[in-house]
Amino acid sequence: MASYLSDRSVSVRLGAAFSTAIPVHTGVPQGSVLSPILFTTYISPIGRLIDRHGINYHKYADDTQLYTPLTGPVGSSLNRLADCTTELQQWYWANDLLLNPEKSEVAFFGTRQRLLCSNLPSNLSVAGSKVVVNDVLKILGVTFNSTLTYNEHVDNVVRSCNFHIRALRHLRPYLSTIALSNFTVGPTPYPRF
């Protein structure tokens, strides 16, 4: 591990030109198989920190989602969440990391009736910065709306499929007959090779 993480340097290449290499003292090499494991190990203490506040969480690579039910006084749950993000920010700073409020998002989930009758704030404090509440949140490629109907997610998938189908249609004149014959339209959904 020591040889993997020590004596590293970085430079920028633009065409055939290279910048001067500078030493790298923190972080893990991007794109390496070991990097996600090392990063996850490095930030593992935040799980205990979050647990101390009674907040639930999910982590995936460098993304962390905090969530909590809004039972009892809503302000109490939101204050615990704000306190948790403030302490997380302190931990990140102490460990040469950054909790970026600009990349943070907030959403409330529930039935339409419950969301309408609840007195929910329009923004929350995340690490000392105000973050506006969204009606839609994207997590690992899935779009969630506040009532969990998945309408936005289905719309996004259909829009993406239509875009790619149109792109393929524009490419068709440039493909050979042999290349086109490798694809079937019918019961076999996979290309033949």
Side-chain angles (χ1 to χ4, degrees), residues 150-161:
Y150 298 101
N151 292 340
E152 286 84 358
H153 181 71
V154 171
D155 289 346
N156 289 341
V157 170
V158 168
R159 191 176 306 112
S160 177
C161 289

mmCIF file with all atom_site columns, all heavy atoms in Angstrom, residues 150-161:
data_model
loop_
_atom_site.group_PDB
_atom_site.id
_atom_site.type_symbol
_atom_site.label_atom_id
_atom_site.label_alt_id
_atom_site.label_comp_id
_atom_site.label_asym_id
_atom_site.label_entity_id
_atom_site.label_seq_id
_atom_site.pdbx_PDB_ins_code
_atom_site.Cartn_x
_atom_site.Cartn_y
_atom_site.Cartn_z
_atom_site.occupancy
_atom_site.B_iso_or_equiv
_atom_site.pdbx_formal_charge
_atom_site.auth_seq_id
_atom_site.auth_comp_id
_atom_site.auth_asym_id
_atom_site.auth_atom_id
_atom_site.pdbx_PDB_model_num
ATOM 1  N N   . TYR A 1 150 ? -42.427 8.336  -10.025 1.00 0.00 ? 150 TYR A N   1
ATOM 2  C CA  . TYR A 1 150 ? -41.474 7.971  -11.081 1.00 0.00 ? 150 TYR A CA  1
ATOM 3  C C   . TYR A 1 150 ? -41.850 8.528  -12.452 1.00 0.00 ? 150 TYR A C   1
ATOM 4  O O   . TYR A 1 150 ? -41.291 8.114  -13.461 1.00 0.00 ? 150 TYR A O   1
ATOM 5  C CB  . TYR A 1 150 ? -41.265 6.458  -11.156 1.00 0.00 ? 150 TYR A CB  1
ATOM 6  C CG  . TYR A 1 150 ? -40.685 5.916  -9.883  1.00 0.00 ? 150 TYR A CG  1
ATOM 7  C CD1 . TYR A 1 150 ? -41.493 5.276  -8.949  1.00 0.00 ? 150 TYR A CD1 1
ATOM 8  C CD2 . TYR A 1 150 ? -39.338 6.079  -9.592  1.00 0.00 ? 150 TYR A CD2 1
ATOM 9  C CE1 . TYR A 1 150 ? -40.961 4.794  -7.767  1.00 0.00 ? 150 TYR A CE1 1
ATOM 10 C CE2 . TYR A 1 150 ? -38.805 5.600  -8.408  1.00 0.00 ? 150 TYR A CE2 1
ATOM 11 C CZ  . TYR A 1 150 ? -39.619 4.962  -7.498  1.00 0.00 ? 150 TYR A CZ  1
ATOM 12 O OH  . TYR A 1 150 ? -39.091 4.501  -6.337  1.00 0.00 ? 150 TYR A OH  1
ATOM 13 N N   . ASN A 1 151 ? -42.789 9.466  -12.518 1.00 0.00 ? 151 ASN A N   1
ATOM 14 C CA  . ASN A 1 151 ? -43.160 10.059 -13.804 1.00 0.00 ? 151 ASN A CA  1
ATOM 15 C C   . ASN A 1 151 ? -41.961 10.722 -14.480 1.00 0.00 ? 151 ASN A C   1
ATOM 16 O O   . ASN A 1 151 ? -41.734 10.536 -15.683 1.00 0.00 ? 151 ASN A O   1
ATOM 17 C CB  . ASN A 1 151 ? -44.276 11.094 -13.626 1.00 0.00 ? 151 ASN A CB  1
ATOM 18 C CG  . ASN A 1 151 ? -45.582 10.447 -13.222 1.00 0.00 ? 151 ASN A CG  1
ATOM 19 O OD1 . ASN A 1 151 ? -45.780 9.253  -13.424 1.00 0.00 ? 151 ASN A OD1 1
ATOM 20 N ND2 . ASN A 1 151 ? -46.465 11.232 -12.622 1.00 0.00 ? 151 ASN A ND2 1
ATOM 21 N N   . GLU A 1 152 ? -41.198 11.504 -13.714 1.00 0.00 ? 152 GLU A N   1
ATOM 22 C CA  . GLU A 1 152 ? -40.031 12.184 -14.281 1.00 0.00 ? 152 GLU A CA  1
ATOM 23 C C   . GLU A 1 152 ? -38.988 11.181 -14.749 1.00 0.00 ? 152 GLU A C   1
ATOM 24 O O   . GLU A 1 152 ? -38.342 11.369 -15.773 1.00 0.00 ? 152 GLU A O   1
ATOM 25 C CB  . GLU A 1 152 ? -39.410 13.152 -13.264 1.00 0.00 ? 152 GLU A CB  1
ATOM 26 C CG  . GLU A 1 152 ? -40.218 14.412 -13.050 1.00 0.00 ? 152 GLU A CG  1
ATOM 27 C CD  . GLU A 1 152 ? -41.341 14.224 -12.033 1.00 0.00 ? 152 GLU A CD  1
ATOM 28 O OE1 . GLU A 1 152 ? -41.516 13.091 -11.519 1.00 0.00 ? 152 GLU A OE1 1
ATOM 29 O OE2 . GLU A 1 152 ? -42.049 15.196 -11.765 1.00 0.00 ? 152 GLU A OE2 1
ATOM 30 N N   . HIS A 1 153 ? -38.799 10.088 -13.993 1.00 0.00 ? 153 HIS A N   1
ATOM 31 C CA  . HIS A 1 153 ? -37.817 9.081  -14.378 1.00 0.00 ? 153 HIS A CA  1
ATOM 32 C C   . HIS A 1 153 ? -38.199 8.427  -15.707 1.00 0.00 ? 153 HIS A C   1
ATOM 33 O O   . HIS A 1 153 ? -37.367 8.288  -16.605 1.00 0.00 ? 153 HIS A O   1
ATOM 34 C CB  . HIS A 1 153 ? -37.670 8.018  -13.288 1.00 0.00 ? 153 HIS A CB  1
ATOM 35 C CG  . HIS A 1 153 ? -36.643 6.983  -13.631 1.00 0.00 ? 153 HIS A CG  1
ATOM 36 N ND1 . HIS A 1 153 ? -35.292 7.263  -13.637 1.00 0.00 ? 153 HIS A ND1 1
ATOM 37 C CD2 . HIS A 1 153 ? -36.759 5.693  -14.003 1.00 0.00 ? 153 HIS A CD2 1
ATOM 38 C CE1 . HIS A 1 153 ? -34.623 6.174  -13.988 1.00 0.00 ? 153 HIS A CE1 1
ATOM 39 N NE2 . HIS A 1 153 ? -35.491 5.215  -14.221 1.00 0.00 ? 153 HIS A NE2 1
ATOM 40 N N   . VAL A 1 154 ? -39.463 8.042  -15.840 1.00 0.00 ? 154 VAL A N   1
ATOM 41 C CA  . VAL A 1 154 ? -39.941 7.426  -17.082 1.00 0.00 ? 154 VAL A CA  1
ATOM 42 C C   . VAL A 1 154 ? -39.787 8.411  -18.235 1.00 0.00 ? 154 VAL A C   1
ATOM 43 O O   . VAL A 1 154 ? -39.304 8.045  -19.314 1.00 0.00 ? 154 VAL A O   1
ATOM 44 C CB  . VAL A 1 154 ? -41.403 6.948  -16.929 1.00 0.00 ? 154 VAL A CB  1
ATOM 45 C CG1 . VAL A 1 154 ? -41.981 6.519  -18.264 1.00 0.00 ? 154 VAL A CG1 1
ATOM 46 C CG2 . VAL A 1 154 ? -41.480 5.820  -15.919 1.00 0.00 ? 154 VAL A CG2 1
ATOM 47 N N   . ASP A 1 155 ? -40.156 9.679  -18.018 1.00 0.00 ? 155 ASP A N   1
ATOM 48 C CA  . ASP A 1 155 ? -40.002 10.700 -19.068 1.00 0.00 ? 155 ASP A CA  1
ATOM 49 C C   . ASP A 1 155 ? -38.537 10.831 -19.494 1.00 0.00 ? 155 ASP A C   1
ATOM 50 O O   . ASP A 1 155 ? -38.241 10.927 -20.688 1.00 0.00 ? 155 ASP A O   1
ATOM 51 C CB  . ASP A 1 155 ? -40.521 12.058 -18.590 1.00 0.00 ? 155 ASP A CB  1
ATOM 52 C CG  . ASP A 1 155 ? -42.031 12.101 -18.457 1.00 0.00 ? 155 ASP A CG  1
ATOM 53 O OD1 . ASP A 1 155 ? -42.706 11.187 -18.986 1.00 0.00 ? 155 ASP A OD1 1
ATOM 54 O OD2 . ASP A 1 155 ? -42.537 13.047 -17.810 1.00 0.00 ? 155 ASP A OD2 1
ATOM 55 N N   . ASN A 1 156 ? -37.614 10.833 -18.516 1.00 0.00 ? 156 ASN A N   1
ATOM 56 C CA  . ASN A 1 156 ? -36.184 10.960 -18.829 1.00 0.00 ? 156 ASN A CA  1
ATOM 57 C C   . ASN A 1 156 ? -35.681 9.767  -19.631 1.00 0.00 ? 156 ASN A C   1
ATOM 58 O O   . ASN A 1 156 ? -34.911 9.926  -20.580 1.00 0.00 ? 156 ASN A O   1
ATOM 59 C CB  . ASN A 1 156 ? -35.359 11.107 -17.549 1.00 0.00 ? 156 ASN A CB  1
ATOM 60 C CG  . ASN A 1 156 ? -35.564 12.452 -16.896 1.00 0.00 ? 156 ASN A CG  1
ATOM 61 O OD1 . ASN A 1 156 ? -36.023 13.405 -17.514 1.00 0.00 ? 156 ASN A OD1 1
ATOM 62 N ND2 . ASN A 1 156 ? -35.225 12.533 -15.623 1.00 0.00 ? 156 ASN A ND2 1
ATOM 63 N N   . VAL A 1 157 ? -36.104 8.549  -19.259 1.00 0.00 ? 157 VAL A N   1
ATOM 64 C CA  . VAL A 1 157 ? -35.668 7.348  -19.975 1.00 0.00 ? 157 VAL A CA  1
ATOM 65 C C   . VAL A 1 157 ? -36.205 7.364  -21.404 1.00 0.00 ? 157 VAL A C   1
ATOM 66 O O   . VAL A 1 157 ? -35.479 7.083  -22.358 1.00 0.00 ? 157 VAL A O   1
ATOM 67 C CB  . VAL A 1 157 ? -36.095 6.069  -19.223 1.00 0.00 ? 157 VAL A CB  1
ATOM 68 C CG1 . VAL A 1 157 ? -35.866 4.823  -20.072 1.00 0.00 ? 157 VAL A CG1 1
ATOM 69 C CG2 . VAL A 1 157 ? -35.353 5.949  -17.903 1.00 0.00 ? 157 VAL A CG2 1
ATOM 70 N N   . VAL A 1 158 ? -37.478 7.712  -21.580 1.00 0.00 ? 158 VAL A N   1
ATOM 71 C CA  . VAL A 1 158 ? -38.081 7.760  -22.921 1.00 0.00 ? 158 VAL A CA  1
ATOM 72 C C   . VAL A 1 158 ? -37.386 8.824  -23.762 1.00 0.00 ? 158 VAL A C   1
ATOM 73 O O   . VAL A 1 158 ? -37.054 8.594  -24.929 1.00 0.00 ? 158 VAL A O   1
ATOM 74 C CB  . VAL A 1 158 ? -39.602 8.023  -22.829 1.00 0.00 ? 158 VAL A CB  1
ATOM 75 C CG1 . VAL A 1 158 ? -40.193 8.365  -24.183 1.00 0.00 ? 158 VAL A CG1 1
ATOM 76 C CG2 . VAL A 1 158 ? -40.298 6.824  -22.210 1.00 0.00 ? 158 VAL A CG2 1
ATOM 77 N N   . ARG A 1 159 ? -37.115 9.990  -23.180 1.00 0.00 ? 159 ARG A N   1
ATOM 78 C CA  . ARG A 1 159 ? -36.431 11.072 -23.902 1.00 0.00 ? 159 ARG A CA  1
ATOM 79 C C   . ARG A 1 159 ? -35.037 10.606 -24.347 1.00 0.00 ? 159 ARG A C   1
ATOM 80 O O   . ARG A 1 159 ? -34.621 10.832 -25.480 1.00 0.00 ? 159 ARG A O   1
ATOM 81 C CB  . ARG A 1 159 ? -36.319 12.300 -23.002 1.00 0.00 ? 159 ARG A CB  1
ATOM 82 C CG  . ARG A 1 159 ? -35.864 13.545 -23.716 1.00 0.00 ? 159 ARG A CG  1
ATOM 83 C CD  . ARG A 1 159 ? -35.847 14.790 -22.815 1.00 0.00 ? 159 ARG A CD  1
ATOM 84 N NE  . ARG A 1 159 ? -37.126 15.015 -22.177 1.00 0.00 ? 159 ARG A NE  1
ATOM 85 C CZ  . ARG A 1 159 ? -37.354 14.892 -20.857 1.00 0.00 ? 159 ARG A CZ  1
ATOM 86 N NH1 . ARG A 1 159 ? -36.391 14.547 -20.041 1.00 0.00 ? 159 ARG A NH1 1
ATOM 87 N NH2 . ARG A 1 159 ? -38.549 15.120 -20.357 1.00 0.00 ? 159 ARG A NH2 1
ATOM 88 N N   . SER A 1 160 ? -34.320 9.925  -23.467 1.00 0.00 ? 160 SER A N   1
ATOM 89 C CA  . SER A 1 160 ? -32.986 9.424  -23.795 1.00 0.00 ? 160 SER A CA  1
ATOM 90 C C   . SER A 1 160 ? -33.042 8.376  -24.904 1.00 0.00 ? 160 SER A C   1
ATOM 91 O O   . SER A 1 160 ? -32.232 8.399  -25.847 1.00 0.00 ? 160 SER A O   1
ATOM 92 C CB  . SER A 1 160 ? -32.325 8.829  -22.552 1.00 0.00 ? 160 SER A CB  1
ATOM 93 O OG  . SER A 1 160 ? -31.078 8.273  -22.867 1.00 0.00 ? 160 SER A OG  1
ATOM 94 N N   . CYS A 1 161 ? -34.014 7.463  -24.820 1.00 0.00 ? 161 CYS A N   1
ATOM 95 C CA  . CYS A 1 161 ? -34.168 6.436  -25.868 1.00 0.00 ? 161 CYS A CA  1
ATOM 96 C C   . CYS A 1 161 ? -34.476 7.078  -27.215 1.00 0.00 ? 161 CYS A C   1
ATOM 97 O O   . CYS A 1 161 ? -33.892 6.705  -28.239 1.00 0.00 ? 161 CYS A O   1
ATOM 98 C CB  . CYS A 1 161 ? -35.268 5.447  -25.496 1.00 0.00 ? 161 CYS A CB  1
ATOM 99 S SG  . CYS A 1 161 ? -34.817 4.349  -24.139 1.00 0.00 ? 161 CYS A SG  1
#
